[in-house]
C-alpha cells in the first residue's frame, strides 16, 4: 500500500495552472498568499509614499513629472530643527528609560520574588488606557489649581507655576508612555544572566561593579538593545506628548508630517519628510544592530 | 545504641595542618535548616570530598566556604582566622560550579584570563599564563581564541578548571562539576583532577552524590545526610566501617539484614527466622542492621566453614565484567553475592543454594 501511494504523491501536479506555469516549488507556492498580502498591505503604501515624495508641490497625483523640489525645500528650510528635536527628545527619553528600567528589571528578576508578577501587571495596566487619556490625566495633575498645585495651595498656601508646556514635561510624558517598551525586553535580558555565572565572576575576585560590567551588562545586552531600539523608534515617532504636554512649544518631525498632509494639503512635502525620517531612523537601527550582533552576544555564532 | 549518634570521627587527618575549619556551622533558609551544626577540619593540601544525596546540604556547605552564603550561626576559620564576613571576591578560594558558569560571551583565553584581568595583570603576562594553564590541562593552544560555547563538555570542564587555577587560590571547591558528563569521560577527568591535585598541592574540596567518584579521588570523605555530617573518614574507613545503614547503603550494592537482640542475647532476624554470629555487639545495642558486602558472601559447599548460613534459591545472575553477581532469594529477602568470573557458580538459575559469610566480614550498624 505504502509503496503504491508514495509515487502518486510525488508526481501530483499543482492544481492551479498559474502555479504550474510559474514552476514554483511547493514551499514557495505556499508562501505566495503571504507574499501577496505583504506586497499589497505593506510594500505598496511605502512605495506610494516614496513616489509621492518626488511629485511637484501640492500635487495629488503620481502622474506628474518626478522632481527633487520637496527635498530641496526641506534642506533649505528650518525643518531640520524638528528632526533634531525629535531625535534629541527620543535620545534623552531612551537614556532616562535605560537608567530607570535597569534597576526595576533587576528587581523584578532577582529581588522582588513573588511580587514580581503583581508589579509586572501594574506596569502593564496603563497600556490598556488610551495614550491621550493618560496624557490628559497628567494635565489634570500638573495644571494650575490641578491635583498637585491645588493640593499644595489649599494645604500650605503655596502658589507655584505649572510645569506644563515645557520640554521637561514632554520628556516626562514620553518616559511614562514608553516605559513598558524598555522595561519588558530589559527584564527578559536581565533574567537571561545565570546566577552561577555572576557568582563565578564574584568568586574569581571581581568587585560588584566589575561583575556588573563584565557579566551582567554583556549577557543582558540582547534584551537591553531590543529595549533601546523599540523605545527609540517609538519615541522618534512621538507626537501627542509634544502636542498635549508641550503645548506645541516644540514641533517634532511627526507633527510636521501631519501638518503637511492635513493643514497644508501638501502631500509630496509630507511624503518627503516621511522618507527622510525613515532613512535616518533606519540607518541608526542598522548601525546599532551591526555594532551589537545579538547572536554573537548570546554566543550562538 | 544508635551508632549515628557517635558523630563524625575525624580520622585520616594524619599530620596535616588545618587550613579550613567549620565550627558548629548552621545555615537556615527561613524555617528550613539546610545545614545542621557541622564541625569539620580540613587539612592543608587535602583532597576532601563531601558526599550526600541531593538536598543533603552539601552545596550549601560549599557555598558558605566560598563566601557566597553566610552561615546563620557558627564560625568558618581559614588558617585560624574567622572569615564569616569576608566576601567571596576577597577569599583565597575559588569554585568550579556545577554548570561551570563559563562566560559565554568570551573566548577560551578570555575566560581563563578573567581573574588576571580583574587584578590588572598585563595583557602579555595574562596570555602567557593562560597558555601555560591550557598546556597543563591538555587544551590545544589554538583553542585560545575559540568561542567557549563551541567547546565540548570535557573541554569546557578543563577551561573552568584553568580559570579557577588562574585565580591561584589556596583552596579549590568543586560543586559536582562532572555530574553532566558521560561515564567514560568522567572516569578520565576524575583521574586528571587527582593528578592536578598532586601537581598543584592545593587543597581541593569536592562535592558529589556519587561515593564511587569520591572514593577514586579523595584523601578523606565526609558523608552528609539531611544537613548533618554523619561520617568522616578515609575512603577505606567509609568502605570497611560505615557507621550507619545510610552510609553503608550509599556505597552501592550491599546486603542489609534488619536484626535485633533476642532473649538469648544473640542477633536475630525475625524475617529470616535465623540467628547470626557477628562482630562484638556494642553495649546497649537493641536493634539495627547487619551489613555484609556482596564479595564477602559466598555460595557455600557442604565442607565450608562459614559461621553464618542461609538457604535460598538462585534467582538471577549478572555479568559485571571481571565479576559475576548473583541474586539469591532467601524468603522475601534478596541477597547479592559476587564472585570472580573465573570462579563462576556452576549450578543453574533456580537451583537451591546455601549462602554464607564469616562474622568478621559483617558490620553491625544502627538504624
Amino acid at each position: 500500500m505504502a509503496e503504491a501511494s508514495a509515487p502518486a504523491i510525488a508526481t501530483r501536479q499543482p492544481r492551479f495552472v498559474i502555479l504550474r506555469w510559474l514552476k514554483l516549488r511547493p514551499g514557495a507556492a505556499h508562501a505566495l498568499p503571504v507574499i501577496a498580502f505583504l506586497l499589497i498591505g505593506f510594500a505598496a503604501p511605502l512605495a506610494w509614499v516614496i513616489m509621492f515624495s518626488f511629485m511637484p508641490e501640492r500635487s495629488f497625483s503620481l502622474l506628474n513629472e518626478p522632481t527633487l523640489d520637496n527635498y530641496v525645500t526641506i534642506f533649505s528650510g528650518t525643518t531640520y530643527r524638528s528632526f533634531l528635536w525629535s531625535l534629541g527628545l527620543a535620545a534623552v527619553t531612551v537614556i532616562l528609560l535605560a537608567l530607570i528600567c535597569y534597576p526595576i528589571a533587576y528587581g523584578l528578576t532577582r529581588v522582588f520574588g513573588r511580587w514580581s508578577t503583581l508589579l509586572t501587571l501594574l506596569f502593564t495596566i496603563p497600556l490598556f488606557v488610551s495614550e491621550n487619556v493618560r496624557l490628559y490625566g497628567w494635565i489634570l495633575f500638573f495644571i494650575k489649581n490641578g491635583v498637585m498645585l491645588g493640593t499644595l495651595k489649599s494645604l500650605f498656601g503655596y502658589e507655584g507655576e505649572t510645569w506644563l508646556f515645557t520640554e521637561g514635561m514632554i520628556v516626562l510624558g514620553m518616559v511614562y508612555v514608553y516605559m513598558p517598551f524598555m522595561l519588558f525586553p530589559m527584564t527578559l535580558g536581565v533574567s537571561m544572566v545565570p546566577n552561577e555565572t555572576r557568582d563565578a565572576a564574584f568568586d574569581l575576585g571581581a568587585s560588584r561593579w566589575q561583575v556588573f560590567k563584565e557579566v551582567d551588562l554583556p549577557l543582558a545586552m540582547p534584551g537591553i538593545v531590543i529595549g533601546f531600539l523599540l523605545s527609540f523608534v517609538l519615541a522618534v515617532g512621538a507626537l501627542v506628548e509634544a502636542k498635549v504636554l508641550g503645548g506645541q512649544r516644540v514641533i517634532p518631525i511627526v507633527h510636521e508630517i501631519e501638518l503637511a498632509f492635513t493643514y497644508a494639503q501638501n502631500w509630496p512635502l509630507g511624503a518627503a519628510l516621511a522618507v527622510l525620517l525613515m532613512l535616518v531612523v533606519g540607518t541608526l537601527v542598522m548601525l546599532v544592530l551591526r555594532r551589537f550582533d545579538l547572536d554573537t552576544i548570546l554566543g550562538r555564532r | 545504641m544508635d551508632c549515628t549518634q557517635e558523630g563524625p570521627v575525624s580520622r585520616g587527618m594524619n599530620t596535616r595542618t588545618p587550613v579550613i575549619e567549620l565550627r558548629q556551622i548552621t545555615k537556615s533558609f527561613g524555617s528550613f535548616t539546610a545545614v545542621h551544626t557541622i564541625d569539620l577540619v580540613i587539612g592543608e593540601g587535602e583532597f576532601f570530598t563531601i558526599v550526600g544525596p541531593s538536598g543533603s546540604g552539601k552545596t550549601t556547605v560549599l557555598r558558605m566556604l566560598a563566601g557566597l552564603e553566610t552561615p546563620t550561626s557558627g564560625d568558618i576559620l581559614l588558617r585560624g582566622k574567622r572569615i564569616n564576613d569576608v566576601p567571596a571576591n576577597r577569599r583565597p578560594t575559588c569554585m568550579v560550579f556545577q554548570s561551570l558558569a563559563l562566560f559565554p560571551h568570551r573566548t577560551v583565553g578570555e575566560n581563563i584570563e578573567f581573574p588576571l584581568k580583574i587584578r590588572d595583570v598585563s595583557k602579555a603576562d595574562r596570555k602567557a599564563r593562560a597558555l601555560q594553564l591550557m598546556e597543563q590541562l591538555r587544551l590545544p593552544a589554538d583553542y585560545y581564541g575559540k568561542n567557549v560555547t563551541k567547546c565540548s563538555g570535557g573541554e569546557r570542564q578543563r577551561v573552568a578548571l584553568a580559570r579557577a587555577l588562574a585565580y591561584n587560590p589556596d583552596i579549590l571547591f568543586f560543586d559536582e562539576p562532572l555530574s553532566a558528563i558521560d561515564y567514560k569521560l568522567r572516569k578520565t577527568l576524575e583521574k586528571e583532577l587527582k593528578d592536578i591535585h598532586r601537581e598543584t598541592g592545593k587543597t581541593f574540596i569536592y562535592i558529589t552524590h556519587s561515593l564511587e567518584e569520591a572514593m577514586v579521588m579523595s584523601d578523606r570523605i565526609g558523608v552528609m545526610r539531611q544537613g548533618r555530617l554523619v561520617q568522616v573518614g578515609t575512603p577505606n574507613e567509609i568502605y570497611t566501617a560505615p557507621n550507619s545503614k545510610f552510609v553503608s547503603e550509599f556505597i552501592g550494592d550491599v546486603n542489609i539484614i534488619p536484626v535485633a537482640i533476642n532473649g538469648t542475647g544473640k542477633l536475630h532476624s525475625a524475617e529470616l527466622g535465623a540467628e547470626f554470629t557477628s562482630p562484638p555487639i556494642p553495649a546497649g545495642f537493641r536493634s539495627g542492621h547487619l551489613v555484609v558486602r556482596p564479595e564477602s558472601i559466598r555460595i557455600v559447599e557442604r565442607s565450608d566453614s562459614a559461621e553464618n548460613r542461609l538457604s535460598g534459591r538462585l534467582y538471577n545472575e549478572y555479568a559485571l565484567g571481571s565479576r559475576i553477581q548473583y541474586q539469591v532469594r532467601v524468603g522475601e529477602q534478596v541477597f547479592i553475592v559476587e564472585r570472580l568470573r573465573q570462579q563462576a557458580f556452576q549450578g543453574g538459575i533456580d537451583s537451591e543454594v546455601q549462602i554464607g559469610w564469616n562474622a568478621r566480614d559483617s558490620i553491625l550498624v544502627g538504624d
Side-chain angles (χ1 to χ4, degrees), chain A residues 226-237:
Chain A
I226 292 169
F228 261 81
L229 288 180
L230 216 60
S231 47
F232 182 78
V233 171
L234 288 170
V236 168

Side-chain angles (χ1 to χ4, degrees), chain A residues 196 199 202-204 206 214 299, chain B residues 63 89 95 99 105-106 149:
Chain A
E196 278 204 342
D199 281 348
F202 186 56
D203 189 44
L204 286 162
E214 302 282 340
Chain B
R63 288 180 64 87
N89 59 354
M95 171 120 100
S99 69
H105 54 301
R106 298 283 162 85
T149 53

Side-chain angles (χ1 to χ4, degrees), chain A residues 52 55-56 59-64:
Chain A
F52 250 113
M55 290 297 111
S59 56
F60 294 96
S61 159
L62 284 172
L63 299 173
N64 301 296

Side-chain angles (χ1 to χ4, degrees), chain B residues 17-308:
Chain B
T17 27
V19 58
I20 208 150
E21 205 173 322
L22 285 89
R23 285 191 187 158
Q24 298 280 304
I25 287 291
T26 297
K27 175 72 185 177
S28 308
F29 297 101
S31 59
F32 172 69
T33 307
V35 173
H36 221 290
T37 47
I38 281 189
D39 280 299
L40 180 66
V41 182
I42 293 167
E44 196 88 59
E46 199 175 6
F47 197 131
F48 190 93
T49 304
I50 302 174
V51 194
S54 38
S56 58
K58 52 195 194 307
T59 298
T60 311
V61 170
L62 206 64
R63 288 180 64 87
M64 285 192 284
L65 289 176
L68 297 167
E69 302 279 358
T70 353
T72 310
S73 67
D75 288 329
I76 301 172
L77 281 77
L78 179 75
R79 300 210 172 89
K81 263 199 211 130
R82 187 176 178 275
I83 55 161
N84 285 29
D85 307 318
V86 179
N89 59 354
R90 281 195 266 125
R91 290 190 189 187
T93 61
C94 192
M95 171 120 100
V96 176
F97 288 81
Q98 184 162 23
S99 69
L100 302 181
L102 294 170
F103 306 128
H105 54 301
R106 298 283 162 85
T107 63
V108 168
E110 286 168 341
N111 263 280
I112 300 173
E113 287 173 13
F114 182 83
L116 304 171
K117 191 180 163 194
I118 292 296
R119 284 182 205 164
D120 284 327
V121 175
S122 81
K123 219 167 189 172
D125 291 353
R126 260 165 27 200
K127 183 164 183 181
R129 178 72 182 130
L131 288 171
Q132 185 192 343
L133 282 165
M134 284 170 69
E135 198 192 334
Q136 188 183 359
L137 292 168
R138 288 195 254 152
L139 281 162
D142 58 341
Y143 272 42
Y144 182 82
K146 189 172 177 173
N147 189 325
V148 78
T149 53
K150 291 276 180 286
C151 294
S152 72
E155 287 159 4
R156 273 191 246 186
Q157 204 75 52
R158 295 190 172 104
V159 175
L161 183 55
R163 187 179 66 175
L165 287 171
Y167 183 68
N168 199 20
D170 297 348
I171 308 173
L172 270 116
F173 303 125
F174 299 87
D175 184 8
E176 300 202 42
L178 302 182
S179 60
I181 286 186
D182 66 85
Y183 182 81
K184 206 175 157 207
L185 183 58
R186 192 165 70 230
K187 290 287 139 202
T188 315
L189 291 171
E190 279 171 10
K191 287 183 184 146
E192 277 186 28
L193 199 58
K194 193 164 183 178
D195 293 346
I196 296 286
H197 175 246
R198 213 191 120 89
E199 282 164 32
T200 57
K202 293 180 189 298
T203 310
F204 279 29
I205 304 179
Y206 195 93
I207 273 187
T208 175
H209 58 259
S210 151
L211 194 58
E212 194 195 347
E213 196 171 304
M215 294 270 179
V216 174
M217 298 186 288
S218 320
D219 294 323
R220 277 194 311 152
I221 295 169
V223 184
M224 277 192 78
R225 181 197 191 185
Q226 290 171 355
R228 293 171 199 273
L229 205 50
V230 290
Q231 188 172 7
V232 177
T234 62
N236 192 41
E237 283 165 353
I238 300 275
Y239 189 76
T240 55
N243 66 4
S244 63
K245 180 180 173 234
F246 175 80
V247 175
S248 50
E249 273 177 330
F250 215 80
I251 296 164
D253 289 330
V254 72
N255 298 294
I256 295 174
I257 311 162
V259 288
I261 300 284
N262 65 7
T264 56
K266 287 200 120 194
L267 281 182
H268 178 261
S269 159
E271 284 89 346
L272 297 169
E275 279 186 358
F276 301 110
T277 47
S278 77
I281 301 168
F285 182 88
R286 302 243 44 91
S287 71
H289 296 86
L290 198 60
V291 178
V292 196
R293 304 214 161 281
E295 68 268 25
S296 302
I297 300 197
R298 54 190 186 269
I299 297 172
V300 296
E301 316 293 331
R302 277 182 219 303
S303 58
D304 198 291
S305 62
E307 288 157 296
N308 296 298

Side-chain angles (χ1 to χ4, degrees), chain A residues 206-246:
Chain A
S207 63
R208 296 284 178 198
W209 166 248
Q210 282 167 322
V211 173
F212 172 76
K213 196 169 57 115
E214 302 282 340
V215 176
D216 280 305
L217 212 52
L219 287 184
M221 204 39 102
I224 296 175
V225 168
I226 292 169
F228 261 81
L229 288 180
L230 216 60
S231 47
F232 182 78
V233 171
L234 288 170
V236 168
L239 172 62
V240 241
E241 289 80 6
K243 266 189 177 173
V244 175
L245 295 178

